[in-house]
Amino acid sequence: MQKTYYDPADLKKFGKISDWNQELGDKFFEYYGKVFEEGALTAREKSLIALAVAHTEQCPYCIDAYTKDGLQRGVTKEEMMEAIHVGAAIKGGATLVHGVQMMNKVNKLDG
Amino acid sequence: MATKSLHKRESDLANSNRQLEILSNGIFQNGELPTFKNKIAESNQFPLKAKKLEILQINVGYMCNQVCDHCHVDAGPDRKEIMTRDTMRQCLEVIKNTGAHTLDLTGGAPEMNPDFRWFVEEAAKAGIKDFIVRSNLTIIRANKKYYDLPEFFKKHNVHVVSSMPHWTRGKTDKQRGDGVFDASIKALQVLNAVGYGMPESSLKLDLVYNPSGAFLPGDQATMEKDFKKALKEDFNIHFHNLFAITNLPISRFLDYLIASENYEDYMYALVEAYNPTAVANVMCTNTLSVSWDGYLYDCDFNQMLELPVNSKVKHISEYDESLLEGRNIVISQHCYGCTAGAGSSCQGSVA
Ligand code: SF4
Ligand code: SF4
């Protein structure tokens, strides 16, 4: 029996998702490739965004992939850590801003 | 960061046979990954053959003022292999008569060979179109006797190619040693001051980028843009081209890969990035490498693995370009480093 939910070797098999639905798989990978091309944002900037999102999504495959991708693009560890803090700040902020909802409710029910 | 070569440390990996064994065993023996030979055979590119010679690369010795972590030469201050003037004379005979358009001096730090300047002066007289010296930059600032190297290079119209792993201090010093970044920046400024690397200048200054760890280089053109922007903004430094070079899994880089438990992943990454169109242009197809003691190899990597050319002609003293043309290149799994992604050679990407 597999002992863990995640296996690093599965990242290499990502492309296999097309085996069970070629059309949608192909469309996804074409879209994915296009998204990361140099555009109004540089491919380097996109890589850093992907790294931050990989953390907020807590996807170990993406963290693996975009850390390596960043290194290959010459991204420094300081830049990577700052990007992750941006993700963390948004995550933390998104939690906390809902505190206003809680406060509204308390004020209404028990104000 | 090590301060001694693998040879001085008497490491197992100082032995080239041991390196070749590692590269042939494990994942390549049990069939997890295809051997380089089988891989190129898939596209009918085996055996790999030498074409007409274009680049003559001469390694004038393994001594170096640095001990970089990734060095495929296992160079360092403790290496004593140095080309003698006699061997240089034999090389000069070849340089005068070769059909190659490029002469490429490398090391170690070639400038540390006591006959380096004499050799450059004599070789420059042959009038080869492109005369490269691979200078590690810090040597120019290592000792007063080297301070005038930029002027010396200029006098002989030498094309300077220098290593620079990153535009930040942290990443550079991690790979090449403390203080290397500052000394390299200073050396680049001096080179710029005599005209090297300036936008319209004919004094060519190119940089070599190779990754500081177990990952492949990014796109060469994009890296060049990033390097140019950062070096210009931070230090007002100019250079011409950037060559992105993949670290080959031999010598100190192999030692690092094994010690950091990255060896298998790195070989997987190289094999996955295998690009058959890069095979046609790998540098051994148009280059010949001469060692400090005058022996001939398909490339500097094969020299370090002590894999001599597969030809009747083995030594510079018996050099015959027509006999060497068409020889079968000697390959092993380290060759995957030359065919990953856009390919890699001493002149950067090949595909
Ligand atoms: S990589 Fe170059 S500068 Fe560094 S130790 Fe090796 S020969 Fe010397
Ligand atoms: S390592 Fe040398 S022999 Fe192998 S492909 Fe590269 S240049 Fe050719």
Side-chain angles (χ1 to χ4, degrees), chain A residues 9-30 32 61:
Chain A
D10 284 347
L11 176 55
K12 293 196 188 80
K13 301 179 194 151
F14 190 10
K16 284 197 182 301
I17 62 143
S18 303
D19 290 357
W20 289 6
N21 190 323
Q22 193 70 36
E23 190 196 352
L24 292 180
D26 288 352
K27 279 195 164 26
F28 170 78
F29 286 114
E30 193 198 331
Y32 193 104
Y61 300 121

Side-chain angles (χ1 to χ4, degrees), chain B residues 19-307:
Chain B
Q19 297 180 45
L20 286 165
E21 242 170 63
I22 294 171
L23 288 166
S24 301
N25 290 347
I27 40 179
F28 291 103
Q29 195 173 45
N30 67 19
E32 242 180 80
L33 291 178
T35 59
F36 189 71
K37 177 181 169 189
N38 287 345
K39 195 75 190 173
I40 62 174
E42 279 172 19
S43 47
N44 295 323
Q45 284 167 299
F46 180 80
L48 206 52
K49 281 192 182 289
K51 296 182 275 204
K52 193 176 150 13
L53 184 75
E54 292 181 54
I55 302 166
L56 186 65
Q57 189 175 60
I58 300 180
N59 193 317
V60 297
Y62 303 158
M63 188 182 279
C64 189
N65 58 320
Q66 293 184 188
V67 194
C68 304
D69 275 347
H70 68 288
C71 182
H72 76 270
V73 179
D74 191 26
D78 54 56
R79 294 303 298 268
K80 304 288 181 254
E81 297 86 342
I82 285 284
M83 186 176 275
T84 61
R85 209 180 260 226
D86 279 346
T87 308
M88 286 177 173
R89 279 201 188 93
Q90 292 173 335
C91 291
L92 285 168
E93 279 312 303
V94 170
I95 294 167
K96 279 182 210 147
N97 300 309
T98 177
H101 55 63
T102 299
L103 173 64
D104 184 342
L105 297 192
T106 187
E111 302 91 334
M112 290 179 88
N113 183 310
D115 291 314
F116 170 74
R117 293 195 192 217
W118 175 80
F119 190 41
V120 170
E121 278 161 14
E122 294 301 312
K125 289 181 196 157
I128 282 201
K129 204 165 131 227
D130 190 7
F131 184 4
I132 296 174
V133 171
R134 292 187 187 260
S135 175
N136 71 23
L137 292 179
T138 59
I139 190 73
I140 297 176
R141 306 304 303 167
N143 185 303
K144 273 207 178 100
K145 68 177 174 188
Y146 298 124
Y147 282 8
D148 67 330
L149 275 171
E151 289 290 351
F152 175 77
F153 290 146
K154 179 177 177 175
K155 187 169 164 211
H156 298 287
N157 197 23
V158 162
H159 170 181
V160 177
V161 177
S162 294
S163 295
M164 193 82 194
H166 204 262
W167 57 84
T168 60
R169 180 174 291 109
K171 288 195 78 125
T172 302
D173 288 359
K174 177 185 158 294
Q175 182 191 61
R176 301 177 75 80
D178 284 344
V180 166
F181 184 75
D182 291 342
S184 302
I185 291 295
K186 180 78 201 148
L188 286 171
Q189 285 167 336
V190 182
L191 283 163
N192 277 175
V194 302
Y196 269 103
M198 300 309 282
E200 301 301 321
S201 174
S202 61
L203 294 168
K204 293 282 289 169
L205 171 62
D206 296 329
L207 294 185
V208 166
Y209 159 80
N210 55 323
S212 55
F215 51 92
L216 308 186
D219 173 65
Q220 180 168 283
T222 312
M223 294 297 293
E224 179 179 295
K225 239 181 23 211
D226 291 343
F227 261 87
K228 281 199 167 155
K229 186 163 174 285
L231 289 177
K232 171 86 178 60
E233 273 174 14
D234 297 348
F235 305 102
N236 200 26
I237 283 172
H238 296 267
F239 68 93
H240 292 133
N241 297 111
L242 183 88
F243 304 149
I245 298 189
T246 304
N247 287 311
L248 261 68
I250 67 168
S251 193
R252 286 215 285 270
F253 192 67
L254 178 60
D255 181 57
Y256 155 78
L257 287 175
I258 293 171
S260 60
E261 296 183 3
N262 278 309
Y263 171 71
E264 289 196 2
D265 283 346
Y266 192 74
M267 296 314 289
Y268 262 99
L270 289 182
V271 176
E272 259 167 39
Y274 172 78
N275 177 359
T277 53
V279 178
N281 298 314
V282 282
M283 66 177 170
C284 48
T285 57
N286 68 355
T287 303
L288 198 65
S289 153
V290 186
S291 63
W292 63 278
D293 51 358
Y295 285 92
L296 306 177
Y297 300 86
D298 295 311
C299 68
D300 207 46
F301 306 112
N302 282 7
Q303 181 184 142
M304 302 314 150
L305 290 171
E306 298 177 87
L307 296 170

Side-chain angles (χ1 to χ4, degrees), chain A residues 54-95:
Chain A
H55 281 77
T56 61
E57 293 300 310
Q58 298 175 341
C59 171
Y61 300 121
C62 306
I63 294 172
D64 183 332
Y66 284 95
T67 303
K68 210 181 280 168
D69 187 69
L71 287 171
Q72 292 183 358
R73 293 180 192 282
V75 174
T76 63
K77 56 187 181 201
E78 291 80 8
E79 290 172 308
M80 290 191 202
M81 188 52 92
E82 276 187 30
I84 290 169
H85 275 291
V86 172
I90 295 296
K91 262 275 210 224
T95 306

